[in-house]
Amino acid sequence: NAGVTQTPKFQVLKTGQSMTLQCAQDMNHNSMYWYRQDPGMGLRLIYYSASEGTTDKGEVPNGYNVSRLNKREFSLRLESAAPSQTSVYFCASSRRRQGLEAFFGQGTRLTVV
Amino acid sequence: GDSVTQMEGPVTLSEEAFLTINCTYTATGYPSLFWYVQYPGEGLQLLLKATKADDKGSNKGFEATYRKETTSFHLEKGSVQVSDSAVYFCALFNQAGTALIFGKGTTLSVSS
């Protein structure tokens, strides 16, 4: 019973490098999300996808791109990493209906030096 | 836009003390409300939820009541344990159902 799986768990990048964070869910959920967690800031929404083939910006989208590859997978790409993107990134998924909870992955701890 | 405000931490309590973590929200319509918990080094887990006014969510001794008149969803527990030490997040699902909006989190530390 995997739920939401994120890879990698840890990553160190140099400024200017690119990388893709992967997320997959096996619960047949329509909606998927990417959040970043920073001390004292809570979780802030980067992008979300209400269904396969659609994506929308959240609160802090600058410097990121996303791809909803299929219903299961939602990836987050950093094209040119900056130290300000050092954070813990969480992927989540839910059914697209009020009142239903979102399920979270274990997180990716990214450090940009 | 929609937002959630929760009390600043950290909250430090002795075992068996009473816990209250305040949460208020701003939103259009009638959003669903949630409390999530994050244990050290882990992702977020749903603790409890309420989907309409006057609903009470409860789980593991924690409770929260959806108060539309005061736009609040305060978390309470009568007797905390050391194992309750974690970060607690209040959240709402916006009316369109497109995203969870989180508060900044409250760190709870319980000592024996």
Side-chain angles (χ1 to χ4, degrees):
Chain A
N1 208 11
V4 180
T5 304
Q6 289 181 235
T7 55
K9 287 186 169 45
F10 301 94
Q11 184 72 48
V12 178
L13 289 179
K14 294 182 179 178
T15 298
Q17 287 185 318
S18 63
M19 79 162 294
T20 300
L21 282 64
Q22 306 287 352
C23 175
Q25 53 92 8
D26 61 3
M27 295 173 283
N28 202 36
H29 287 165
N30 289 318
S31 297
M32 297 186 74
Y33 316 87
W34 276 106
Y35 289 88
R36 60 178 288 173
Q37 183 180 19
D38 302 292
M41 300 296 291
L43 276 82
R44 293 180 292 170
L45 183 67
I46 304 171
Y47 271 93
Y48 65 94
S49 171
S51 62
E52 184 179 349
T54 67
T55 60
D56 287 285
K57 294 178 180 179
E59 181 184 355
V60 289
N62 290 345
Y64 305 95
N65 287 301
V66 291
S67 295
R68 184 74 183 269
L69 305 169
N70 48 53
K71 193 171 187 179
R72 289 188 65 248
E73 298 172 290
F74 188 38
S75 62
L76 178 72
R77 183 162 178 83
L78 287 71
E79 291 290 353
S80 178
S84 60
Q85 294 178 303
T86 293
S87 188
V88 181
Y89 292 85
F90 287 100
C91 177
S93 71
S94 71
R95 290 191 195 143
R96 191 166 182 258
R97 209 177 88 192
Q98 269 286 4
L100 296 177
E101 68 183 278
F103 293 81
F104 283 79
Q106 292 296 298
T108 296
R109 186 173 294 275
L110 174 67
T111 302
V112 182
V113 298
Chain B
D2 298 348
S3 65
V4 174
T5 303
Q6 60 182 105
M7 62 187 288
E8 299 284 330
V11 174
T12 303
L13 295 174
S14 298
E15 207 166 24
E16 299 184 3
F18 185 85
L19 168 71
T20 300
I21 301 178
N22 290 337
C23 172
T24 57
Y25 68 90
T26 301
T28 55
Y30 297 88
S32 296
L33 301 175
F34 304 83
W35 277 100
Y36 279 81
V37 59
Q38 183 180 33
Y39 298 103
E42 298 186 10
L44 278 74
Q45 305 171 25
L46 179 70
L47 181 60
L48 53 84
K49 70 177 184 181
T51 58
K52 60 183 187 295
D54 300 324
D55 263 3
K56 177 185 281 188
S58 61
N59 186 25
K60 299 181 181 179
F62 291 89
E63 293 183 340
T65 301
Y66 190 145
R67 300 288 187 200
K68 182 67 177 174
E69 63 276 13
T70 54
T71 62
S72 65
F73 192 54
H74 304 322
L75 182 69
E76 296 182 336
K77 186 175 186 182
S79 177
V80 294
Q81 306 300 312
V82 172
S83 57
D84 293 327
S85 298
V87 182
Y88 293 82
F89 292 93
C90 185
L92 64 83
F93 234 121
N94 60 11
Q95 184 73 6
T98 52
L100 265 176
I101 310 297
F102 285 88
K104 293 185 177 182
T106 302
T107 300
L108 171 65
S109 178
V110 181
S111 58
S112 58

